[in-house]
């Protein structure tokens, strides 16, 4: 029996795909449409495997597979990036967009082939569709990519395969297949880019902004893999293990990650970071302001835990309480986007590294704070945190930061894109900080009419759309760099489609929604 919410979610994704390719139709559009059709059929095979427990790994069971919405993100990002850089005349990043799109298609196709291969009996029609889609994609890649680009795509696929086997085994029930495609596909691409740039680094100073994110992401992932393997053989909750954890973190950080970053940027990373953070008075003011907001977020955590301990029954943070953090994040990102986007870029990378490191401390029960973090954060768990890791706060940070990190700076000579593209850095603020928050708060308090097959309400979605339009108007008032050039109808359509996707998706909306809104704005 077909799941109606999944059908509506798929319909919304198909509409977004068609909207994008109505603007940027070329040979890759045929590939994207073919990939979308086969992913639509294959995701039902994944859903059946998850229900019957026949999947190779343990995935998050409270949601559907999410293969279609996840499969389209990376290819669409690559296609719209290619078009923007082609318009700007930046050939290198135009080719880079083609590589991103091809990599996303091949990785998504690989995940589809796995589902078809382990489904019994073998689904003949789905196999034919997958074969046709694969043939179209491979034929297009053959006539579009150079030999070095084909090798790069295959390298990312190989890293994805091995990374998936390792992380999905070590982290059961943390991802759906679609979320695994997005997260592990992104990490695989970052790792390949870092290896490529490390091997091809030229003498002279590199731009630290090009390397800081790559080294930070790969560094924390490798750190986690190292300690996961290590703590298989020893108890991580003892003082000796905790001391070893802190010592090895310092050794790996100062002995591997810092020299690696030094090789890329040709200067001391710590000195560069300190100079960068305190370069202007505006940056000092922003750092003080962000420190105050971080302290406020910690205050909310401590207050809610004190409230829990004072009540006899089990207390769990409400949806509205969890949205406090969305308001704090919006208050953090908006001044950074207006006054200093480079500082916000670097600060978000540092914050991501800190969040993941603290999650390692909580997960491994590292003394003296591991058990305390477990107690404090358990209050804010929801059905999406069904695995051993707590990832929702990291997804929130990623959703707000990815539009900033993925913004094609080299293809925007004046620091901003034209038309709706000027709102690309604000995609996370609009989709998650404003839209998702308002929909959740108003839907849970005043919503009466539910969307068929979901817990989301019509009132919440309509209020979210209205709130995002107001937010766009405020951005136009306070950010002089934003010039929409009369692209208001496209912005309204983009916000509406992403808000409808929020109402029907069971995937991590903090991660998915900003990426789709960014794709629509860049198109």
């Amino acid at each position: 029996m077909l799941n109606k919410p999944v059908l509506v979610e798929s319909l919304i994704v198909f509409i977004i795909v068609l909207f994008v390719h109505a603007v940027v139709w070329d040979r890759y559009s045929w590939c994207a449409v073919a990939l979308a059709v086969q992913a639509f059929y294959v995701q039902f095979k994944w859903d059946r495997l998850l229900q019957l427990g026949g999947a190779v790994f343990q995935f998050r069971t409270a949601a559907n597979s999410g293969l279609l919405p996840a499969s389209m993100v990376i290819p669409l990002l690559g296609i719209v990036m290619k078009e923007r850089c082609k318009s700007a005349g930046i050939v290198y990043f135009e080719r880079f967009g083609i590589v991103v799109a091809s990599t996303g298609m091949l990785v998504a196709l690989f995940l589809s082939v796995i589902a078809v291969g382990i489904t019994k009996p073998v689904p003949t029609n789905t196999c034919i569709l997958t074969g046709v889609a694969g043939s179209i994609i491979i034929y297009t890649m053959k006539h579009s990519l150079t030999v070095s680009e084909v090798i790069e795509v295959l390298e990312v696929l190989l890293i994805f395969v091995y990374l998936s086997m390792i992380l999905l085994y070590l982290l059961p029930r943390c991802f759906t297949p679609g979320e695994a495609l997005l997260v592990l596909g992104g990490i695989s691409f970052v790792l390949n880019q870092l290896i490529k740039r490390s091997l091809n680094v030229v003498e002279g100073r590199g731009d630290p902004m090009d390397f800081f994110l790559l080294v930070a992401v790969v560094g924390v992932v490798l750190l986690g893999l190292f300690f996961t393997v290590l703590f298989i053989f020893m108890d991580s909750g003892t003082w000796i293990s905790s001391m070893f954890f802190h010592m090895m973190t310092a050794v790996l950080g100062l002995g591997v990650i810092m020299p690696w970053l030094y090789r890329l940027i040709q200067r001391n990373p710590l000195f560069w970071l300190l100079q960068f953070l305190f370069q202007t008075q505006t940056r000092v003011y922003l750092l003080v302001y962000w420190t105050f907001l971080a302290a406020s977020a910690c205050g909310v955590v401590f207050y809610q835990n004190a409230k829990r301990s004072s009540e006899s029954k089990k207390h769990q943070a409400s949806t509205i309480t969890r949205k406090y953090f969305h308001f704090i994040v919006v208050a953090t990102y908006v001044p950074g986007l207006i006054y200093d986007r480079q500082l916000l870029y670097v600060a978000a990378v540092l914050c991501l590294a800190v969040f993941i490191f603290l999650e390692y401390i909580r997960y491994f029960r590292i003394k003296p704070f591991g058990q305390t973090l477990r107690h404090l954060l358990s209050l804010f768990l929801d059905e999406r945190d069904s695995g051993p890791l707590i990832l929702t706060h990291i997804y929130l940070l990623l959703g707000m930061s990815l539009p900033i990190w993925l913004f094609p700076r080299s293809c925007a000579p004046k620091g901003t894109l034209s038309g709706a593209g000027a709102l690309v850095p604000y995609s996370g603020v609009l989709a998650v900080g404003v839209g998702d928050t308002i929909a959740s708060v108003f839907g849970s308090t005043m919503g009466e009419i539910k969307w068929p097959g979901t817990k989301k309400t019509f009132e919440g979605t309509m209020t979210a759309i209205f709130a995002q339009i107001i937010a766009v108007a405020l951005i136009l008032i306070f950010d002089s760099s934003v010039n929409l050039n009369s692209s208001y109808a496209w912005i309204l359509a983009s916000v509406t489609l992403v808000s409808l996707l929020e109402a029907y998706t069971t995937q991590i909306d903090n991660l998915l929604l900003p990426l789709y809104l960014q794709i629509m704005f860049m198109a």
Side-chain angles (χ1 to χ4, degrees):
M1 183 177 180
L2 295 178
N3 190 328
K4 289 184 179 179
V6 176
L7 291 176
V8 177
E9 177 193 48
S10 302
L11 176 63
I12 296 168
V13 173
F14 272 114
I15 292 173
I16 292 175
V17 171
L18 294 177
F19 265 51
V20 170
H21 291 295
V23 179
V24 296
W25 187 269
D26 58 14
R27 70 174 72 176
Y28 307 101
S29 302
W30 292 109
C31 298
V33 172
L35 180 67
V37 172
Q38 72 86 31
F40 171 74
Y41 280 91
V42 173
Q43 77 173 350
F44 290 105
K45 307 305 176 187
W46 265 116
D47 290 342
R48 187 166 178 270
L49 288 170
L50 295 177
Q51 292 169 2
L52 300 176
V56 178
F57 300 103
Q58 295 184 56
F59 292 100
R60 189 162 64 88
T61 56
N64 61 38
S65 64
L67 187 64
L68 173 59
S71 294
M72 301 314 301
V73 168
I74 300 178
L76 290 179
L77 270 175
I79 290 169
V80 295
M81 182 185 298
K82 172 186 73 72
E83 288 299 317
R84 284 288 183 172
C85 295
K86 182 179 180 180
S87 301
I90 311 296
V91 177
Y92 175 82
F93 284 99
E94 180 188 347
R95 301 301 305 176
F96 182 75
I98 294 173
V99 171
V100 171
S102 301
T103 302
M105 291 178 188
L106 206 59
V107 169
L109 194 65
F110 171 77
L111 207 60
S112 298
V113 170
I114 289 180
V116 171
I118 61 178
T119 300
K120 303 298 181 185
V122 175
T124 306
N125 294 336
T126 307
C127 283
I128 294 173
L129 278 173
T130 303
V132 170
S135 300
I136 294 173
I137 292 170
I138 293 173
Y139 178 81
T140 304
M141 288 174 58
K142 177 186 175 183
H143 290 82
S144 303
L145 301 179
T146 63
V147 174
S148 61
E149 289 170 343
V150 170
I151 293 173
E152 185 175 352
V153 171
L154 294 177
E155 286 170 352
V156 177
L157 179 61
L158 186 64
I159 294 171
F160 175 79
V161 171
Y162 283 104
L163 205 59
S164 298
M165 289 191 296
I166 296 170
L167 292 183
L168 292 179
Y169 173 75
L170 295 175
L171 303 174
R173 304 180 308 281
C174 284
F175 308 101
T176 64
E179 292 160 6
L181 172 61
L182 276 180
V183 175
L184 302 183
I187 294 174
S188 302
F189 198 86
V190 166
L191 178 56
N192 185 68
Q193 283 296 305
L194 181 57
I195 294 172
K196 176 184 173 183
R197 298 189 187 194
S198 298
L199 294 175
N200 298 329
V201 66
V202 295
E203 291 298 326
R205 293 187 174 184
D207 183 0
M209 294 286 291
D210 292 334
F211 304 116
F212 194 64
L213 174 63
L214 299 178
V215 174
V217 170
V218 173
V220 293
V221 171
L222 293 179
L223 197 68
L225 289 174
F226 173 79
F227 286 117
T228 299
V229 174
L230 178 67
F231 290 136
I232 291 176
F233 305 101
M234 58 190 301
D235 184 7
S236 62
T238 64
W239 274 106
I240 294 177
S241 298
S242 299
M243 291 175 62
F244 188 74
F245 173 88
H246 295 300
M247 181 182 69
M248 288 305 299
T249 299
V251 169
L252 292 173
L254 298 176
V256 177
I257 296 174
M258 287 299 174
W260 199 348
L261 190 54
Y262 179 85
R263 169 176 166 76
L264 293 170
I265 68 176
Q266 296 295 309
R267 69 187 86 170
N268 188 302
L270 291 177
F271 289 162
W272 168 80
L273 183 60
L274 290 174
Q275 182 184 10
F276 179 87
L277 292 177
F278 300 101
Q279 192 170 19
T280 64
Q281 196 171 26
T282 302
R283 291 185 175 181
V284 175
Y285 289 152
L286 282 172
L287 290 173
V288 171
Y289 171 66
W290 290 341
T291 302
F292 168 75
L293 291 177
S296 301
C298 293
V300 171
V301 173
F302 287 122
Y303 172 75
Q304 290 296 324
N305 275 273
K307 188 176 178 181
R308 172 173 64 174
S309 58
S310 65
E311 296 180 357
S312 57
K313 64 178 182 179
K314 185 178 180 181
H315 176 71
Q316 199 71 17
S318 65
T319 300
I320 295 178
T321 300
R322 286 197 291 270
K323 297 305 175 184
Y324 288 161
F325 299 103
H326 287 234
F327 286 117
I328 292 174
V329 170
V330 170
T332 301
Y333 274 71
V334 170
L337 287 167
I338 294 174
Y339 294 110
D340 198 327
R341 292 184 183 179
Q342 286 191 335
L343 178 65
L344 183 61
Y345 183 110
V346 173
V349 173
L350 289 173
C351 196
L352 176 66
V354 170
F355 273 24
I356 295 177
F357 183 71
L358 290 176
E359 180 58 21
Y360 289 158
I361 292 176
R362 187 206 66 83
Y363 174 65
F364 292 123
R365 295 174 288 116
I366 302 299
K367 295 180 182 296
F369 302 113
Q371 202 59 43
T372 303
L373 285 172
R374 283 190 170 225
H375 175 74
L376 291 174
L377 296 181
S378 64
L379 176 66
F380 300 94
L381 295 178
D382 61 15
E383 68 278 0
R384 294 174 295 183
D385 292 310
S386 57
L389 295 184
I390 300 177
L391 297 172
T392 46
H393 61 297
I394 297 176
Y395 284 139
L396 175 60
L397 177 66
L398 284 174
M400 300 292 287
S401 304
L402 282 173
I404 301 166
W405 295 338
L406 298 176
F407 181 76
R409 290 179 292 127
S410 300
C411 302
K414 297 181 180 179
T416 184
L417 298 174
S418 59
L423 292 173
V424 165
Y426 288 94
S427 300
V429 171
L430 292 172
V432 175
V434 177
D436 181 46
T437 303
I438 297 298
S440 180
V441 171
F442 278 82
S444 61
T445 55
M446 296 187 296
E448 297 288 341
I449 306 172
K450 293 187 182 297
W451 290 106
T454 76
K455 297 179 181 178
K456 308 294 179 65
T457 64
F458 175 81
E459 295 88 345
T461 302
M462 293 301 106
T463 309
I465 295 172
F466 183 65
Q468 289 176 81
I469 298 303
I470 293 176
V472 170
L474 292 174
I475 291 169
L476 281 171
I477 294 172
F478 290 103
D479 191 344
S480 58
S481 67
V482 176
N483 182 10
L484 301 182
N485 295 336
S486 302
S487 54
Y488 303 107
W490 183 266
I491 293 171
L492 178 60
S494 303
V495 166
T496 301
L497 284 171
V498 172
S499 297
L500 290 172
L501 183 61
E502 186 274 336
Y504 276 95
T505 188
T506 56
Q507 305 304 297
I508 299 292
D509 47 12
N510 289 348
L511 185 63
L512 196 65
L513 302 183
L515 292 173
Y516 268 107
L517 192 58
Q518 177 177 4
I519 289 166
M520 291 292 290
F521 284 161
M522 285 184 67

